Amino acid sequence: MCGIIAAASTRNVGKLLVQGLHKMEYRGYDSAGIALHQNESIAHLRALGKVQLLENKMIAEKPKSKLGIAHTRWATHGEPSEINAHPHKSKDSVYIVHNGIIENYVDLRESLIGYGYEFSSQTDSELIAHLLDLHMNEGNSMLDAMYLAKEKLEGAYAIAAIDIKDNTNLVVARNKSPLLIGLGTDEMFAASDPLAIAQMTNDFIFLEDGDVAEISANSYKIFDSSKKEVTREVTHIDISNQATSKGDYRHFMEKEIYEQPEAVSNTIDGRIGGEDVLDNIFGLGSSDLFAKVKRIQIVACGTSLHAGRVAANWFSSIAELPCQIDYASEYRYRNPHVDDDSLIITISQSGETADTLAALSYAKEKNYLASLAICNVPTSSLARESDFVLFTNAGPEIGVASTKAFTTQLAALMLLALSLAKSKDLNPKLRGRITNALRLLPEIISESLLQKEQIVAIAPSIANKDNALFLGRGIFYPIAKEGALKLKEISYIHAEAYPAGELKHGPLALIDENMPVIALAPESEIAEKLISNLEEVKARGGTLYVFADPSVKMDVKAGELVHMPKCDFFLTPIVYNIPLQILSYEVALLRGTDIDQPRNLAKSVTVE
Ligand code: F6R
């Protein structure tokens, strides 16, 4: 998704801004641009495609500047093109970068055309530059013009702006789209993502909705929505270079797959003790609150939603609680009925997913007991806006396709199932069994990573197909869905998932030698039924790739049977997901796709 970086410094900022754009490449984008104040003029460079192309232009033109704004764009309004790339400008004087969506852009655009402004792009963002120019021409400072513009703008935005008449200050504004200030020595930054400026500073101020700030190399002033000057807390975060570089791995996704044993240890560490989960790990008072919970509602998107689907089964089996689950983008629109004593749970790696934040904000108006978030980013909006939070502690996830975030979300959700059961004094023996199994989980994940060779051998027979079917039953159906999502997003192979028992009700018609079928066959009470479903596939010429418990001795003929390490039944979904991640990665590698930044996708989806 779009990324903003801005700098005011006593040194040249061009290189720093481009460096910051590179750090945000993982978010997904289609074009990049920069505007650098050069006293008499503003250097304005944009490029369709990779940040490297923008950097090449910078190397050719060598603009020098101590004040600038830069952007990576992920198209929403208007195709990916140089003309639509940010920064946008008004009459060579006001330059802006914008993340988010201006919902009333059609009306505002028309009214600005009425004032004589000409639009050069198809974006909803360009009008912000004209709106600022309009109000500055009325005699307002950039700061005052931003407030006047804010009165008109509807939707989500993070904005950074500079003006030809001021070579010292930049102005930023935030509403429902992340934006922070980075405090350096003799320099200040603004960015939508701390990773963009982590090499320059570890001290950040996370702006709140409605905030506007004026920033120069040696000072910053923050004003709230009522234009009152405010002090916001400075947060110190060490983002190590190791966490944000690929090391010896070919892709961030590969690194993140193989980091999973450590990531899961970090999720569990300090949260279990003896034969149980520790009290209040979701925040002070959480254990008492859990005792009152009678129902659960989960909202999330994509991979995080799949984690929720697995957890819904755990909540029911371990904590004896009914659980409803919704796509965050749909939840608000189905007029949900909220029973008394319901807990709303949001799950999000980034904590900035607009659909999930909007669902939470809607839920806050309902009579939920409390809101609880499972999140990987401590400084995120979701973490700040929820009553209770458990951080997954997976470390920065850079690959667009979620891997370690998913695995650690599952570990965190298991901690939640155990905590709910403990608060209700339910199933102590089962809690003890699962707690002990959780301790062994990192080791079992390490074992499952050793299956790489067998999976590398399978990959070519899937890489040359256009479709694939993933099958799982019960708690493994969401894992099959996650496997299909991973394969389609990074290899562009069309993949679907079904509960195996549903095959005969329609999808069986798709089975032929061109439809590889990837199935999950753990030891379970329905293992035999699943094997029968797979026999139906085999009988129709389908090629089977089965990830199975060692007790499964099936003849898969042309396909492959991969035996999985044993672990407690409740944790097997976490373990069976690992080979599916490796398979998607190896298939995408053979197809030569852009694995860390798949086409059309973004890491943190900050628009609804
Ligand atoms: C898929 C993937 C996405 C995200 C989804 C939600 O690999 O990463 O489906 O899971 O966009 O993102 P978060 O978890 O940040 O809310």
Side-chain angles (χ1 to χ4, degrees):
M1 201 83 341
C2 302
I4 285 179
I5 176 167
S9 179
T10 48
R11 58 173 166 161
N12 280 320
V13 294
K15 254 195 191 166
L16 302 180
L17 292 176
V18 172
Q19 210 178 347
L21 292 181
H22 276 303
K23 288 283 175 197
M24 289 191 289
E25 286 191 283
Y26 79 97
R27 300 168 67 90
Y29 68 102
D30 48 62
S31 52
I34 193 164
L36 293 164
H37 205 299
Q38 302 192 290
N39 301 327
E40 301 299 306
S41 63
I42 289 182
H44 187 207
L45 301 173
R46 295 181 289 177
L48 173 65
K50 295 285 173 191
V51 170
Q52 189 55 51
L53 299 174
L54 176 70
E55 191 169 2
N56 294 348
K57 288 189 177 182
M58 293 275 290
I59 292 167
E61 300 210 5
K62 298 187 185 56
K64 297 258 178 301
S65 167
K66 293 179 176 150
L67 181 76
I69 55 177
H71 191 261
T72 46
R73 174 174 187 253
W74 186 82
T76 58
H77 295 61
E79 62 185 13
S81 67
E82 193 170 316
I83 280 291
N84 286 334
H86 299 216
H88 289 289
K89 61 175 180 169
S90 186
K91 301 181 194 156
D92 292 332
S93 65
V94 177
Y95 289 71
I96 65 100
V97 288
H98 164 231
N99 287 0
I101 288 180
I102 303 303
E103 286 164 6
N104 57 338
Y105 85 100
V106 175
D107 292 347
L108 288 178
R109 201 175 156 114
E110 261 173 34
S111 110
L112 286 160
I113 289 170
Y115 281 104
Y117 285 98
E118 284 175 16
F119 282 78
S120 60
S121 78
Q122 302 143 353
T123 65
D124 57 330
S125 306
E126 186 181 350
L127 68 88
I128 299 169
H130 297 314
L131 207 47
L132 289 174
D133 184 73
L134 178 75
H135 292 307
M136 288 166 76
N137 284 343
E138 292 162 355
N140 294 294
S141 66
M142 168 87 91
L143 188 83
D144 291 337
M146 187 65 90
Y147 273 95
L148 292 167
K150 265 162 50 71
E151 281 174 19
K152 302 201 172 87
L153 298 174
E154 287 171 18
Y157 49 82
I159 301 167
I162 55 172
D163 166 28
I164 185 74
K165 293 186 283 304
D166 185 347
N167 65 1
T168 314
N169 295 295
L170 60 94
V171 171
V172 299
R174 172 196 159 131
N175 187 45
K176 296 190 211 146
S177 194
L179 193 64
L180 53 97
I181 299 176
L183 313 179
T185 311
D186 292 334
E187 57 190 4
M188 301 281 168
F189 301 91
S192 50
D193 183 334
L195 287 183
I197 50 176
Q199 279 182 319
M200 277 79 85
T201 179
N202 290 325
D203 293 320
F204 305 98
I205 294 173
F206 291 84
L207 295 178
E208 295 186 8
D209 283 342
D211 283 355
V212 175
E214 191 173 51
I215 299 168
S216 67
N218 290 304
S219 72
Y220 66 88
K221 278 184 180 171
I222 304 172
F223 305 87
D224 67 7
S225 51
S226 62
K227 221 173 172 179
K228 189 170 112 232
E229 191 171 346
V230 286
T231 311
R232 300 262 181 249
E233 193 188 338
V234 178
T235 309
H236 185 84
I237 318 172
D238 279 319
I239 304 173
S240 75
N241 201 31
Q242 195 196 355
T244 58
S245 78
K246 283 199 283 250
D248 291 335
Y249 290 97
R250 292 163 290 184
H251 296 94
F252 280 107
M253 182 182 179
E254 186 184 31
K255 176 178 179 239
E256 286 155 8
I257 289 174
Y258 290 92
E259 269 174 1
Q260 292 182 105
E262 193 190 336
V264 167
S265 287
N266 291 339
T267 312
I268 300 165
D269 277 0
R271 288 164 171 172
I272 51 176
E275 301 272 297
D276 224 331
V277 63
L278 300 178
D279 289 336
N280 291 320
I281 58 171
F282 292 83
L284 214 59
S286 55
S287 292
D288 284 346
L289 178 109
F290 290 169
K292 297 185 203 142
V293 172
K294 295 212 180 85
R295 256 161 226 287
I296 288 174
Q297 167 73 55
I298 296 178
V299 288
C301 305
T303 291
S304 298
L305 185 88
H306 294 153
R309 288 198 193 284
V310 176
N313 181 305
W314 290 338
F315 294 148
S316 169
S317 312
I318 302 166
E320 301 177 16
L321 284 168
C323 178
Q324 172 115 23
I325 178 151
D326 282 84
Y327 292 104
S329 54
E330 293 290 324
Y331 168 71
R332 286 181 292 161
Y333 305 107
R334 73 164 170 82
N335 210 357
H337 169 78
V338 181
D339 282 317
D340 287 346
D341 303 321
S342 298
L343 175 70
I344 180 130
I345 298 174
T346 54
I347 309 166
S348 173
Q349 187 287 127
S350 60
E352 298 295 354
T353 300
D355 288 323
T356 309
L357 287 169
L360 174 62
S361 140
Y362 174 86
K364 281 179 155 179
E365 304 295 314
K366 302 268 170 182
N367 60 323
Y368 285 102
L369 264 184
S371 60
L372 181 150
I374 302 291
C375 185
N376 192 35
V377 182
T379 50
S380 62
S381 307
L382 194 71
R384 273 179 283 137
E385 286 166 24
S386 302
D387 300 323
F388 297 99
V389 191
L390 188 85
F391 296 114
T392 45
N393 297 342
E397 189 180 67
I398 310 283
V400 162
S402 206
T403 52
K404 64 174 179 173
F406 179 64
T407 310
T408 53
Q409 281 168 351
L410 287 171
L413 286 159
M414 178 51 93
L415 293 174
L416 179 56
L418 294 173
S419 299
L420 287 159
K422 186 179 181 190
S423 291
K424 292 177 172 299
D425 214 1
L426 291 170
N427 302 316
K429 265 199 188 150
L430 179 61
R431 288 190 337 248
R433 191 187 96 193
I434 296 174
T435 306
N436 287 326
L438 270 176
R439 283 197 182 88
L440 300 176
L441 186 59
E443 212 176 302
I444 298 170
I445 294 175
S446 296
E447 248 182 85
S448 70
L449 290 169
L450 297 176
Q451 284 153 332
K452 178 182 169 185
E453 254 177 57
Q454 213 179 342
I455 297 167
V456 168
I458 296 172
S461 45
I462 295 182
N464 64 8
K465 301 290 189 302
D466 295 326
N467 300 287
L469 211 54
F470 285 71
L471 302 179
R473 295 196 67 144
I475 202 165
F476 292 87
Y477 172 50
I479 298 299
K481 282 180 84 67
E482 173 60 12
L485 175 63
K486 218 89 302 179
L487 185 69
K488 71 184 128 190
E489 70 182 321
I490 62 164
S491 73
Y492 316 149
I493 292 175
H494 172 239
E496 292 299 328
Y498 275 95
E502 269 296 296
L503 259 195
K504 55 189 177 298
H505 299 292
L508 203 55
L510 295 171
I511 301 297
D512 65 12
E513 67 283 3
N514 291 317
M515 178 64 83
V517 176
I518 297 125
L520 303 172
E523 190 175 26
S524 80
E525 55 186 17
I526 50 171
E528 279 178 14
K529 286 197 166 57
L530 176 91
I531 302 299
S532 308
N533 301 146
L534 299 186
E535 289 294 345
E536 292 159 13
V537 171
K538 210 170 81 185
R540 281 149 187 92
T543 314
L544 283 170
Y545 302 94
V546 186
F547 295 91
D549 185 77
S551 61
V552 173
K553 302 275 186 270
M554 182 179 187
D555 172 16
V556 289
K557 287 200 183 143
E560 188 81 21
L561 180 67
V562 181
H563 278 144
M564 297 293 298
K566 277 203 168 293
C567 80
D568 190 281
F569 173 75
F570 280 107
L571 301 182
T572 39
I574 305 182
V575 178
Y576 276 58
N577 176 56
I578 307 290
L580 301 189
Q581 296 174 341
I582 302 176
L583 183 65
S584 294
Y585 177 77
E586 296 296 336
V587 168
L589 207 56
L590 291 173
R591 288 170 70 97
T593 56
D594 191 349
I595 294 182
D596 281 336
Q597 291 156 38
R599 68 182 181 203
N600 306 338
L601 297 183
K603 181 66 186 161
S604 167
V605 185
T606 50
V607 293
E608 280 180 51

